[in-house]
Amino acid sequence: MSIERFDRTSPPGPMMSRAVVRGDTVYLAGLVARDTSGGVEAQTADIIEQIDGYLERAGTSKSNLLTANLWITDMANFAAMNKVWNSWVDPENPPARACVKADLARPEILVEIMVVAAR
């Protein structure tokens, strides 16, 4: 079975692919906001936009999400992050999900999201 990789990165940052497709499964890397100057709602919206783009490139959509892992730096932001997430996620097909408080790579990053989807 072939493997497709989208948006491979290289040093000095980590070597990785932003999305990997094998068969009928799409794996997205942990994504952070491209613009980290906004609050948790703006950052979550930016990440969701990126997720939609990668899923579309891979031939699928948010309706086919299987799992989602979310990391936030402050649980005080949980409700604000969920407000954006809940307005986006397919209510008929929500993924299995975990959300954890964590220190992220840079202090300005407030949320990171990683998903797996079926095609």
Side-chain angles (χ1 to χ4, degrees):
M1 208 175 287
S2 68
I3 298 174
E4 295 177 76
R5 298 177 194 281
F6 301 136
D7 294 346
R8 283 178 267 185
T9 65
S10 57
M15 292 187 67
M16 60 185 251
S17 298
R18 300 266 185 235
V20 175
V21 180
R22 183 172 189 274
D24 288 329
T25 307
V26 180
Y27 305 88
L28 269 56
L31 299 172
V32 299
R34 294 164 289 201
D35 177 1
T36 56
S37 64
V40 72
E41 289 184 37
Q43 288 191 26
T44 303
D46 184 297
I47 296 165
I48 285 169
E49 182 179 303
Q50 292 178 69
I51 291 170
D52 281 336
Y54 283 116
L55 293 177
E56 183 177 341
R57 283 177 67 184
T60 191
S61 71
K62 66 184 178 184
S63 296
N64 293 321
L65 289 178
L66 301 172
T67 63
N69 293 304
L70 295 82
W71 297 271
I72 58 176
T73 58
D74 186 345
M75 280 299 182
N77 290 328
F78 185 76
M81 184 269 312
N82 261 343
K83 178 181 171 187
V84 178
W85 173 268
N86 289 342
S87 70
W88 170 76
V89 75
D90 181 342
E92 299 299 318
N93 299 291
R97 189 187 111 161
C99 183
V100 176
K101 178 184 182 283
D103 291 329
L104 298 176
R106 297 186 318 271
E108 65 273 14
I109 297 171
L110 304 177
V111 61
E112 182 170 348
I113 303 174
M114 183 170 97
V115 301
V116 176
R119 282 209 283 192

